[in-house]
Amino acid sequence: MIKNMKMKTALTIVISFFSILCLSFLYVTTQSGMTRLMKTSAKEKMKTSLNSKAALVDEYVAHQEDLLKKYSISPEVVDYLKDLNNVSKKEKAQAFTEKYYAGLDNWEGLYVAEWNTHIIAHSNKKVIGMYTRKGDSLKQLQNAMTKENGLYDAGIIISPASGKLILSMYCPVFDSDGTTILGYVGGGPFMKKLENMLDKTKAKNECAKYSMINVTSKMYIFDKNKSLITKEVKDKGIADIITHISQNKNKSADVLTYKDSKNINYVLSYKYNAEHDWAVVAKANEKELYADVYKTMNELAVICVISFLLIAFLSWFFIHGYTKPLDYVTKDLLALKNLKISKDPRLQKYINTNSEVGQIATALDSLNDSFEYIVTKLEKCSDSSIFVFALSREELAISRISSTFFINSELFSLPMRILLSTSDTTAEISLIPASTCSTV
């Protein structure tokens, strides 16, 4: 099929074909490498954001715990728990509690209680004298504080008093021997400030959603959807993370993937805090997380298509321009085939040049000059008697002879060779008698 096409068309098609092959290979190899690198980068970015949030939570909680610890070792609190019947010490403990609470930022409350949870000093005087725990719940709290041998962080809960999220903390108050428990102090800040701090760390166009879970209880400690807080984890991906953490306690961070019931792929990353037995989890839709990857690949595909079109167009433009003289040569050769002398003036600038087109133009011009010379000489002959040569594919015959002629073989050698090579055309050439064309 290509051999029947014009040269410029065939060359353009061939160049375009190899351009497609090269650009396709470039796209496939680049896509593979770039996709892998960009997906890794997206995951690392997600992990970095998660780590910053986990570090913020740990730092915030540690600071609040330190505030409660300092309160628990204050002389006013310790002295009062040693001598509960001393009114002066009671007043000092209450005054100190109110003053200390006033210096705290966004706390729900602060109090001192006996080991049986009987409140003896509180930032809110109205609740003094209440018991916060009884029965099994009291025993659980006492065991938890004893086990920790220090501050017990119950985690982020919904406060029964305010109905808002708070960080619930308890810290035993020890006698001077460091082992005898006199009572305990309790309190905690609202989590609204922590929420605001976490929101400020959210990057622009960040698609991940964050949750905080208790690994042992398998419950939500914190989530954007407040209705999930203190509820058991039902999400398959987060449940898989809890299982993964339980099986790999020595691994504090990892990235997992899963597919939900709607066949949507998700990427999950977690940061586990073994001290508090909680984990901060980031969950992102894979399509949204890798949106920049897919966008870059689409842009690369568009660049490849535009590059192909540009290569094809420029190839066609330059080949068309460079082979244009061949159209003039072809036109003159076809005219010569029919024994018509034709000189296209557009070929003149290519004559005597070194290019292939120039060499063909020079040879064709010389051939036309030879034919023109022969025709000019023949036109000077006066005798109209004719030698007729009939040329066909099978034979060359003399059709009519009116007298004896002298034929200059050198003069007609070139034209006769050309006539003999013409397979599809029958042509007649009138030759002049020697008596009238002796000068030829």
Side-chain angles (χ1 to χ4, degrees), residues 269-312:
S269 179
Y270 72 85
K271 181 71 175 178
Y272 177 60
N273 185 316
E275 181 182 353
H276 296 96
D277 196 34
W278 65 37
V280 180
V281 181
K283 176 183 175 182
N285 184 308
E286 190 180 70
K287 187 176 181 180
E288 294 176 359
L289 181 64
Y290 299 145
D292 288 343
V293 179
Y294 302 136
K295 181 181 177 182
T296 302
M297 290 303 100
N298 290 336
E299 289 174 351
L300 179 61
V302 171
I303 291 172
C304 288
V305 171
I306 292 175
S307 299
F308 163 71
L309 294 176
L310 190 61
I311 292 171

Side-chain angles (χ1 to χ4, degrees), residues 33-96:
M34 286 183 63
T35 298
R36 183 173 60 255
L37 289 175
M38 291 184 71
K39 284 188 175 182
T40 300
S41 176
K43 288 180 181 179
E44 289 300 321
K45 185 178 179 181
M46 181 180 177
K47 287 170 64 177
T48 300
S49 177
L50 175 68
N51 289 338
S52 67
K53 286 177 170 57
L56 181 62
V57 171
D58 292 343
E59 183 180 344
Y60 180 81
V61 170
H63 177 63
Q64 305 307 316
E65 290 177 345
D66 286 341
L67 292 174
L68 189 63
K69 287 177 181 178
K70 290 178 181 178
Y71 175 65
S72 72
I73 61 174
S74 61
E76 292 84 354
V77 172
V78 175
D79 290 346
Y80 180 39
L81 284 171
K82 284 183 178 181
D83 189 2
L84 295 173
N85 296 319
N86 190 314
V87 177
S88 175
K89 291 181 179 180
K90 176 181 179 180
E91 291 175 351
K92 286 182 180 180
Q94 179 61 31
F96 176 75

Side-chain angles (χ1 to χ4, degrees), residues 12 24 107 111 192 231 234 248 304 307 319 355 410 433:
T12 301
S24 297
W107 275 53
Y111 64 92
K192 188 63 180 177
K231 300 293 193 301
K234 298 293 184 182
N248 302 273
C304 288
S307 299
I319 292 172
S355 66
E410 182 179 353

Side-chain angles (χ1 to χ4, degrees), residues 336 339 341 366-376 415 418:
L336 191 60
L339 302 179
I341 299 174
S366 177
L367 185 61
N368 280 329
D369 286 344
S370 297
F371 269 101
E372 189 173 10
Y373 175 76
I374 294 171
V375 171
T376 301
I418 292 175

